[in-house]
Amino acid sequence: MGTLTSLMDLAGQALMADQNALNITANNVGNQNTPGYTREVVNWQPTDAVTLSGTSYSTGITSTAVSQRDRILEQRVQQQTQTQSQSGALESALQQVQNIVGLSSTSTSASSTALGSAVDGFFNSLSTLEGNPSDDSTRQSVLTAANNLTSVFNSAANQLAQVGTGLDQQVGTVVGQVNALTKTIASLNQQIASTSTSPSGDAGALEDQRQLAITQLSQYVGLNQITTESNGITLTTANGAALVSGSQSFALSTTSVAGKTDVVAGGVDVTSGLSGGQLGGVLQARDQELPTYASALDNLAYGIGTAVNAQNALGTDGNGNLGAAIFSLPASAPGAATSIQVATSDPHAIAAAATGQGSSGNGNAVAMANLATANTVAGQTATGFLASFLGGIGNDTAGATTDNAAQQATLTQLTSQRNSLSGVSLDEEASNLTQYQRSYEAAAKVFSIVDSLMASALNLGVETTVT
């Protein structure tokens, strides 16, 4: 009887272990599409053996669920998410700039852009004036070309400013999203700590939720992550500003500095040190790339306007007076592309004649037309400077696109590697389900046989119905 009782106990233990394995499998299948869920596998362990008369006897087997989360791999995915999000935000901003200046896969030369066409058109109108300096319609064509040039400059500068404004607004939006997620992570830290101290507590689902929240946070800002006691996680920005510590979150805030939205952490402006995530890409585009492009555009407008004004002042206009400024400009280059305007509506204000030629001469018109090939902008011709400027934008955008594609490919590879470990495979779960079900049926059969044997033994071999 003792042996039969032991065998029944073994069968009972096997039934419970198999049932738990079936439950684990069912839980995996049920959560296949749950965001952030980490699959569990069955860990089989023998129970403590019993030693009688020098012989050890097994008392059964148990099964427990083991999470397939790999923290190192998870952090690699998070870090790559931060890098890819930054490169994606930068690419998006640069593509907007590229569209403003008119560059595309089919239009890559400076002369084919609106700005290049306007610059060429203005200098071409001066060349035409050489041949007919006394013709009012030819003079008017110069003013028309000048107005077109200033309009293109103004439009490009305003659109660049709009891109900057849009990026500035994104900073505030992203900070709000970061604060919402850090608050959630801190709350989950507290729940996980409480669950972990309970003997029967299982924080697996809470850890999945926290992991998902951290991955989402990685899309917005660069992070440093530290695992602490009680299975907690501390998070800081890439430059060390605290975001989460235990059950406490530290909200970022914004402030306006020189017309731009900066990020503040703990009362300190941390904008310059932030990197990674969408916020890092937005700040890189707003604070590094756009100012460079705006400055180049200002230099071009100021260089052309200043050179034309200076040359016009050396000639005689159609009214017999010394030439005045054709373009109105600020005192220095900053802001020139935004504010440049044609200073006159009188076609006779163009000083086509050189001094001493009389109002019908063309000596100064020749000199102004020659400005097209003179080094008037940062030691380069206007068209040469424009070509370099546009080429820089094109190269930067192409580089950002290539980098983002490479970062996305790496992220996809890491995500696939993580999912192969922690993701749910229905084929694998179906195989496990069959295996555990057969094992359960076998244990049940043993239990039934032992039960019948015990009943027969108790009834001294007399057949009876077991209830």
Side-chain angles (χ1 to χ4, degrees):
M1 290 291 292
T3 302
L4 288 177
T5 302
S6 298
L7 187 57
M8 180 171 283
D9 287 341
L10 288 173
Q13 289 279 0
L15 283 171
M16 289 188 290
D18 289 329
Q19 182 60 62
N20 188 48
L22 289 168
N23 292 340
I24 293 170
T25 303
N27 188 54
N28 284 340
V29 173
N31 286 283
Q32 180 198 12
N33 297 316
T34 300
Y37 178 75
T38 301
R39 78 182 180 100
E40 298 177 328
V41 298
V42 179
N43 181 39
W44 303 94
Q45 290 183 324
T47 57
D48 294 336
V50 175
T51 301
L52 297 174
S53 303
T55 303
S56 294
Y57 298 92
S58 173
T59 58
I61 193 169
T62 62
S63 63
T64 55
V66 178
S67 171
Q68 292 304 285
R69 178 179 294 106
D70 186 323
R71 293 190 181 278
I72 295 177
L73 188 54
E74 287 285 358
Q75 288 197 36
R76 290 183 63 194
V77 171
Q78 291 159 18
Q79 290 165 358
Q80 187 60 32
T81 298
Q82 296 162 30
T83 302
Q84 188 279 325
S85 294
Q86 175 165 345
S87 67
L90 177 61
E91 179 194 11
S92 177
L94 293 184
Q95 285 178 339
Q96 292 181 64
V97 175
Q98 184 171 261
N99 292 336
I100 288 171
V101 298
L103 293 175
S104 67
S105 58
T106 59
S107 175
T108 57
S109 65
S111 61
S112 65
T113 65
L115 190 54
S117 179
V119 171
D120 290 344
F122 175 66
F123 285 117
N124 288 339
S125 72
L126 291 173
S127 296
T128 303
L129 185 63
E130 295 178 31
N132 201 359
S134 301
D135 182 60
D136 285 350
S137 64
T138 303
R139 287 173 170 270
Q140 184 60 53
S141 295
V142 174
L143 290 183
T144 299
N147 275 299
N148 180 56
L149 179 61
T150 59
S151 177
V152 172
F153 271 124
N154 297 160
S155 176
N158 289 333
Q159 289 182 76
L160 278 178
Q162 289 172 10
V163 172
T165 299
L167 293 172
D168 206 56
Q169 292 172 346
Q170 285 186 55
V171 172
T173 300
V174 171
V175 165
Q177 292 166 325
V178 167
N179 289 339
L181 285 167
T182 54
K183 185 176 180 180
T184 297
I185 294 167
S187 175
L188 289 168
N189 266 345
Q190 184 176 26
Q191 295 176 61
I192 289 169
S194 299
T195 304
S196 298
T197 58
S198 172
S200 60
D202 182 4
L206 294 172
E207 289 184 33
D208 288 343
Q209 294 174 36
R210 182 177 65 183
Q211 200 64 53
L212 178 62
I214 294 174
T215 300
Q216 292 172 338
L217 184 60
S218 297
Q219 296 175 3
Y220 297 120
V221 66
L223 301 171
N224 289 322
Q225 176 176 324
I226 303 171
T227 301
T228 61
E229 60 183 9
S230 299
N231 203 17
I233 286 180
T234 293
L235 299 175
T236 68
T237 63
N239 58 342
L243 294 175
V244 176
S245 179
S247 60
Q248 186 174 4
S249 63
F250 302 90
L252 301 176
S253 61
T254 60
T255 185
S256 181
V257 178
K260 296 189 300 183
T261 301
D262 276 8
V263 182
V264 176
V268 178
D269 191 323
V270 297
T271 308
S272 62
L274 291 173
S275 63
Q278 183 181 347
L279 187 58
V282 166
L283 291 174
Q284 182 181 352
R286 187 196 71 176
D287 296 343
Q288 299 176 36
E289 308 300 338
L290 254 63
T292 300
Y293 303 146
S295 177
L297 193 63
D298 285 339
N299 288 335
L300 181 60
Y302 190 76
I304 292 174
T306 300
V308 171
N309 285 349
Q311 189 61 53
N312 199 63
L314 298 177
T316 302
D317 66 16
N319 299 315
N321 302 316
L322 287 176
I326 298 297
F327 297 104
S328 61
L329 293 163
S332 58
T338 302
S339 62
I340 187 172
Q341 297 292 330
V342 177
T344 180
S345 59
D346 181 8
H348 293 97
I350 301 171
T355 303
Q357 282 187 331
S359 59
S360 62
N362 72 345
N364 205 46
V366 172
M368 284 195 290
N370 288 339
L371 291 175
T373 57
N375 293 333
T376 56
V377 187
Q380 301 180 67
T381 65
T383 53
F385 183 88
L386 176 60
S388 296
F389 168 51
L390 296 179
I393 293 175
N395 288 336
D396 289 346
T397 306
T401 299
T402 301
D403 179 59
N404 186 46
Q407 300 301 341
Q408 181 59 61
T410 301
L411 177 59
T412 299
Q413 182 180 22
L414 285 172
T415 302
S416 297
Q417 184 178 351
R418 180 197 63 186
N419 290 346
S420 67
L421 174 67
S422 62
V424 176
S425 167
L426 290 182
D427 290 340
E428 182 178 353
E429 298 305 329
S431 174
N432 289 340
L433 186 63
T434 301
Q435 175 186 347
Y436 303 149
Q437 187 173 359
R438 294 287 177 81
S439 179
Y440 183 91
E441 291 171 351
K445 187 67 173 176
V446 170
F447 190 93
S448 177
I449 293 172
V450 173
D451 190 34
S452 297
L453 289 173
M454 289 186 68
S456 178
L458 289 172
N459 289 281
L460 301 177
V462 178
E463 291 292 334
T464 184
T465 302
V466 179
T467 59

